[in-house]
Amino acid sequence: MDYVIEKMISEEALQTRVREVAKEIEKDYAGKNLICVGLLKGSIMFMADLLKNVDMDLAMDFMKVSSYHGGTDSTGVVKILKDVDADLTGKDVLIIEDIIDTGLTLESVKKFLLTKQPNSLKVCSLLDKPSRRKVEMVGEYIGFEIPDEFVVGYGLDYDELHRNLPYIGKVVKK
Ligand code: IMP
Ligand code: MG
């Protein structure tokens, strides 16, 4: 490999922050009809750890989308590869994402999910790179704001590798 991975956020820091975010969600969604929709595959580690710490009744579902950044497809910037299974009508939907970068993916996903008439629709992302935004996108729950670096680990990949790292590291070219 022509790069090394430098640790940016430790496993301990991740776990501490993930628990804090979980408790915020638990408080905000008390008594609501919460369904968490994870975006595959990047969100899996975060979603698993997060929701183990949300002590309430909730449902889990998944979507898979492919990015069309800069593409010419007229239907939008992402293609839906897997839709949710559940009926979201009247539900309080929380999208679980690994990272908000340009914001284009979430903009399309939100637009798509809104057509399903949820009672509410919010975003929870482990990481946020606000300096890279191309469209306005604000996550209601954010684990960590990070600078403009390419990161891997804890679900995030570089060419499908490194999702299994228990920490977040930045990719540094050798
Ligand atoms: P956006 O549409 O530009 O906001 O892109 C979001 C998606 O790009 C995320 O779900 C990731 O799959 C991917 N992505 C963006 N930045 C990174 C990164 O630093 N590491 C790994 N994947 C990233
Ligand atoms: Mg992703």
Side-chain angles (χ1 to χ4, degrees):
M1 289 191 293
D2 61 345
Y3 60 91
V4 292
I5 297 169
E6 275 179 16
K7 198 177 279 193
M8 182 190 261
I9 307 172
S10 71
E11 186 172 3
E12 294 69 30
L14 282 173
Q15 295 301 329
T16 301
R17 182 66 189 135
V18 166
R19 268 195 298 273
E20 286 173 3
V21 175
K23 291 304 152 193
E24 270 182 63
I25 291 169
E26 191 181 297
K27 179 163 61 69
D28 294 353
Y29 285 89
K32 301 235 164 122
N33 229 329
L34 177 60
I35 177 160
C36 296
V37 175
L39 301 190
L40 296 170
K41 307 171 213 171
S43 68
I44 56 159
M45 301 283 185
F46 174 47
M47 184 164 175
D49 284 344
L50 180 77
L51 298 186
K52 278 186 274 184
N53 287 286
V54 177
D55 187 14
M56 62 177 280
D57 289 338
L58 60 83
M60 288 165 67
D61 214 314
F62 296 93
M63 274 183 79
K64 187 163 168 56
V65 301
S66 76
S67 298
Y68 265 154
H69 292 185
T72 54
D73 189 82
S74 58
T75 58
V77 285
V78 304
K79 186 172 168 191
I80 311 292
L81 300 178
K82 188 217 171 293
D83 195 352
V84 291
D85 299 323
D87 178 6
L88 302 184
T89 314
K91 302 279 174 63
D92 293 292
V93 178
L94 183 60
I95 302 169
I96 313 288
E97 174 62 310
D98 52 0
I99 186 165
I100 313 177
D101 187 28
T102 63
L104 289 166
T105 302
L106 279 170
E107 185 183 57
S108 299
V109 168
K110 282 186 83 173
K111 211 177 278 177
F112 175 77
L113 291 178
L114 277 173
T115 65
K116 296 173 183 281
Q117 315 282 325
N119 180 56
S120 67
L121 181 64
K122 289 184 178 173
V123 170
C124 175
S125 181
L126 174 69
L127 304 175
D128 189 6
K129 278 199 268 196
S131 60
R132 296 246 317 156
R133 267 323 179 278
K134 287 189 181 154
V135 290
E136 199 185 314
M137 179 52 60
V138 179
E140 283 81 3
Y141 303 93
I142 297 294
F144 300 87
E145 213 174 89
I146 62 166
D148 183 10
E149 304 278 3
F150 194 84
V151 293
V152 294
Y154 200 60
L156 292 106
D157 74 302
Y158 180 43
D159 257 349
E160 290 302 325
L161 293 178
H162 316 306
R163 294 191 197 274
N164 57 317
L165 292 175
Y167 55 86
I168 296 287
K170 77 173 183 186
V171 171
V172 181
K173 301 278 177 201
K174 274 196 238 174

